[in-house]
Structures are given as structure tokens and as C-alpha cells.
């Protein structure tokens, strides 16, 4: 049985692991080349013997940088070959566990690979193996299966997106699918995802988009109006849906006049200290004006 040992190996005999989640070998390559030039190898590359080659378990960036620098030999910490695919995936993850070598999307890929290659494993088991919370593992798997790699990878890795945000948008889409299945089918899941991601980038969403039952109450036309405008804020959409639904209440004229007077008094009593505060207030007032116009059109059409 092979025991762990340190060797110097011909770089041409060292090969990347096909199960490594990293698809971009040039990720932070400049930084790694600088480290190797100035400090040398602080850690050997972890690999196992695979025929005449050494298959990497940890150290793909060091191996790539070594190739770029034209090194002939590199240090290899030789370990026993994994017994099966699942063990190899687990060892890839456990070796990387305390490092920041993998990007957020690569951790998503690794988590899904672990889950799908062990039919007897539960979410709880994966969480323990990766030293993560159960909700984190559930979100990683859900996000990885819902979005295409090219839809989220770059933005995840540069911190524009987060797994939590992506999962929130996924759940929002699932509610639209549940309460408006025809619209969801006609527009297509891909289109709705892209619009919601664009809205997030345009700062049109907030963290509480799952609160309330406005999706259920909204009409198909209201949803389409919201989705077709990438700059329309979800807060305005929610207010419009709630306002229009309140028209079903049988308020008499006196009550409606009272509501309008109270709203007018509140608006005229608004105080602000800075110009940016005034701008935000004016924006909200314009939103209210748009809602009133929408309401008037609906009332006139009845």
C-alpha cells in the first residue's frame, strides 16, 4: 500500500483532475506566478499516481503557474489513489476546505457533484462534509440546478450576485409559475430569469421580494407590465397591485375624500435635511402619481 511521501516530479507527468470544479486555469494566475517567483513552493501539490502520471487533488493553480514559468520539475505530495468517484470528490473538497482557492460557482459545482454521486447521502451529510450549514447546501444545489452556468458564474465570482440573492429570485420565479402558469410558460423561464437578474443589477429589487401575496393578487397584465420594463422597481409594482386590489372595497365618497385629504396633509408635512433626501421623496411622490393614474384608468374602464 502506497504511503504518503514527497517527491519531485517531471511537470509533464503531472495532470489536472477532470473532477476539479475550476474550469478557468488562468484564475489569479499572475498572483500565483509572482508567489512562485519570489517565494518558491510554500506547499507541494497534492496528487495520486495514475498510471505513469500524477493526478492533482490540490494545487491546480500552482501547476498552471509552473507551466507558464517553464519549470521542469515540481514538488508533489503523493497520496493514495481514491477508491471511487465519491471519495475523490470528497477529498477534493476536504483538501480545499480551508483555502480560498475555489470561487463561489466552483463550490456550487462541487456541492452538486457530491450530492449527485452519493445516492445514499442526505443534505445533512453533505453539510457536515463541507462544514457548511444545511440552508447553505440547499441553496447551492437549488441555484446550481436552476441557473445556467453562463447566466451567473462571472457575476457570482465578482460578487455582483450572491447565492442568497439568486435563491430568492428563484423562489420568486417559482411563485409566478405557481400562480400564473400560463404566463410562465408563454414567456419562458429563461426570459423571466434574465429579466429578474437585470432588474437586480439595475437596483430594482430588494431583499424582501418574497413577502406578501402580491404575486397571487396581481393580474397577468400587471405582471407583464412589470417584467417588460427592466427599470420598473418591484416596490412600485407591489404598491400598484395592493392599491388596485383595495379598489374592490366598497368605500363611499366621504371615506375616499377623507383618505385623500389625509394623504395630502402627510405629503405637505414632509421635511428633509439634504438634497438627496428631497430627491428620494420626489421619486416616491412620482410613483404615487403613477399609481393614481393607473387607478383612474382602471376606474374609467369599468
Amino acid at each position: 500500500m502506497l504511503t504518503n511521501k514527497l517527491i519531485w516530479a517531471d511537470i509533464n507527468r503531472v495532470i489536472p483532475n477532470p473532477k476539479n470544479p475550476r474550469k478557468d486555469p488562468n484564475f489569479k494566475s499572475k498572483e500565483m506566478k509572482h508567489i512562485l517567483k519570489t517565494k518558491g513552493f510554500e506547499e507541494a501539490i497534492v496528487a495520486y499516481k495514475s498510471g505513469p502520471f500524477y493526478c492533482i487533488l490540490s494545487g491546480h493553480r500552482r501547476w498552471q503557474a509552473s507551466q507558464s514559468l517553464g519549470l521542469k520539475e515540481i514538488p508533489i505530495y503523493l497520496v493514495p489513489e481514491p477508491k471511487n468517484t465519491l471519495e475523490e470528490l470528497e477529498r477534493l473538497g476536504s483538501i480545499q476546505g480551508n483555502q480560498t482557492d475555489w470561487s463561489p460557482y466552483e463550490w456550487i459545482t462541487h456541492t452538486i457533484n457530491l450530492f449527485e454521486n452519493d445516492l445514499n447521502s442526505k443534505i445533512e451529510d453533505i453539510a457536515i462534509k463541507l462544514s457548511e450549514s444545511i440552508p447553505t447546501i440547499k441553496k447551492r444545489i437549488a441555484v446550481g440546478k436552476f441557473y445556467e452556468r453562463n447566466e451567473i458564474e462571472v457575476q457570482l465570482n465578482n460578487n455582483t450576485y450572491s447565492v442568497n440573492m439568486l435563491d430568492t429570485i428563484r423562489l420568486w420565479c417559482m411563485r409566478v409559475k405557481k400562480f400564473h402558469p400560463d404566463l410562465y410558460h408563454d414567456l419562458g423561464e429563461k426570459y423571466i430569469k434574465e429579466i429578474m437578474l437585470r432588474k437586480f443589477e439595475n437596483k430594482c429589487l430588494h431583499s424582501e421580494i418574497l413577502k406578501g401575496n402580491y404575486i397571487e393578487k396581481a393580474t397577468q397584465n400587471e405582471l407583464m407590465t412589470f417584467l417588460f420594463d427592466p427599470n420598473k422597481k418591484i416596490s412600485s409594482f407591489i404598491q400598484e397591485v395592493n392599491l388596485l386590489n383595495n379598489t374592490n372595497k366598497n368605500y363611499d365618497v366621504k371615506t375616499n375624500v377623507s383618505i385623500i385629504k389625509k394623504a395630502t396633509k402627510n405629503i405637505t408635512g414632509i421635511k428633509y435635511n439634504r438634497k438627496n433626501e428631497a430627491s428620494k421623496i420626489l421619486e416616491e411622490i412620482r410613483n404615487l402619481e403613477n399609481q393614481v393614474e393607473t387607478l383612474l384608468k382602471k376606474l374609467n374602464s369599468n
Side-chain angles (χ1 to χ4, degrees), residues 2 16 59 70 74 86 93 107 120 128 135 160 206 218-219 235 263 272 276 290:
L2 178 67
I74 53 176
L86 179 62
W107 275 112
N120 297 317
I128 292 171
T160 300
H206 53 65
T219 65
S235 55
Y272 59 89
N276 65 329
N290 291 333

Side-chain angles (χ1 to χ4, degrees), residues 111-156:
T111 303
I112 291 175
N113 286 340
L114 275 179
F115 184 67
E116 292 183 343
N117 279 278
D118 187 356
L119 299 179
N120 297 317
S121 184
K122 298 179 180 178
I123 295 289
E124 293 83 354
D125 301 325
I126 304 296
I128 292 171
K129 288 175 183 177
L130 298 182
S131 301
E132 294 284 4
S133 68
I134 292 173
T136 295
I137 298 301
K138 285 182 176 179
K139 288 175 183 178
R140 278 185 189 172
I141 294 172
V143 165
K145 290 186 174 183
F146 184 68
Y147 298 94
E148 297 294 330
R149 184 172 195 139
N150 61 3
E151 290 176 326
I152 63 172
E153 181 178 19
V154 173
Q155 294 88 340
L156 259 178

Side-chain angles (χ1 to χ4, degrees), residues 16-267:
N17 195 309
K19 299 177 182 65
N20 180 41
R22 171 151 294 143
K23 301 302 178 186
D24 180 10
N26 295 313
F27 180 73
K28 294 184 178 179
S29 60
K30 288 184 179 179
E31 294 92 328
M32 184 54 66
K33 282 192 283 188
H34 177 72
I35 291 172
L36 291 182
K37 278 183 178 179
T38 56
K39 299 181 180 179
F41 278 88
E42 295 180 308
E43 287 183 76
I45 292 171
V46 179
Y48 64 86
K49 197 81 165 62
S50 178
F53 299 100
Y54 301 99
C55 187
I56 301 173
L57 283 173
S58 174
H60 286 84
R61 283 175 53 215
R62 280 167 279 160
W63 167 73
Q64 182 71 24
S66 299
Q67 284 188 317
S68 299
L69 293 171
L71 301 183
K72 303 299 181 184
E73 288 188 327
I74 53 176
I76 298 292
Y77 186 67
L78 203 55
V79 297
E81 180 180 358
K83 296 175 183 176
N84 50 50
T85 298
L86 179 62
E87 182 181 324
E88 187 158 10
L89 288 168
E90 289 177 346
R91 286 169 67 178
L92 275 166
S94 63
I95 290 171
Q96 298 285 354
N98 293 321
Q99 302 178 20
T100 57
D101 195 38
W102 284 356
S103 68
Y105 192 85
E106 287 160 353
W107 275 112
I108 286 175
T109 302
H110 180 65
T111 303
I112 291 175
N113 286 340
L114 275 179
F115 184 67
E116 292 183 343
N117 279 278
D118 187 356
L119 299 179
N120 297 317
S121 184
K122 298 179 180 178
I123 295 289
E124 293 83 354
D125 301 325
I126 304 296
I128 292 171
K129 288 175 183 177
L130 298 182
S131 301
E132 294 284 4
S133 68
I134 292 173
T136 295
I137 298 301
K138 285 182 176 179
K139 288 175 183 178
R140 278 185 189 172
I141 294 172
V143 165
K145 290 186 174 183
F146 184 68
Y147 298 94
E148 297 294 330
R149 184 172 195 139
N150 61 3
E151 290 176 326
I152 63 172
E153 181 178 19
V154 173
Q155 294 88 340
L156 259 178
N157 294 346
N158 65 21
N159 296 318
T160 300
Y161 297 165
S162 69
V163 171
N164 284 338
M165 180 279 293
L166 290 171
D167 192 52
T168 298
I169 290 178
R170 177 189 69 85
L171 292 171
W172 189 92
C173 292
M174 290 301 96
R175 287 194 185 178
V176 173
K177 184 177 182 179
K178 178 180 179 181
F179 294 112
H180 301 274
D182 293 338
L183 177 65
Y184 198 84
H185 176 268
D186 291 343
L187 291 180
E189 187 171 87
K190 181 177 176 60
Y191 176 84
I192 295 174
K193 280 191 295 182
E194 288 178 352
I195 284 293
M196 291 302 287
L197 291 174
R198 187 175 173 189
K199 281 181 176 290
F200 175 80
E201 292 178 12
N202 291 344
K203 303 187 185 305
C204 294
L205 305 181
H206 53 65
S207 60
E208 298 183 346
I209 64 174
L210 297 177
K211 284 193 173 182
N213 61 345
Y214 65 94
I215 296 176
E216 181 181 357
K217 293 192 296 184
T219 65
Q220 181 168 303
N221 286 336
E222 288 167 348
L223 259 173
M224 289 173 65
T225 300
F226 169 67
L227 290 170
F228 290 167
D229 183 354
N231 294 308
K232 186 177 180 66
K233 293 185 176 181
I234 199 162
S235 55
S236 298
F237 171 54
I238 294 171
Q239 289 173 355
E240 288 171 7
V241 171
N242 290 333
L243 182 63
L244 290 172
N245 273 273
N246 284 338
T247 61
N248 294 325
K249 296 180 180 179
N250 295 319
Y251 290 147
D252 57 22
V253 174
K254 185 176 180 181
T255 303
N256 283 323
V257 170
S258 174
I259 291 171
I260 292 171
K261 284 183 176 180
K262 188 179 292 185
T264 304
K265 183 179 179 181
N266 289 335
I267 290 172

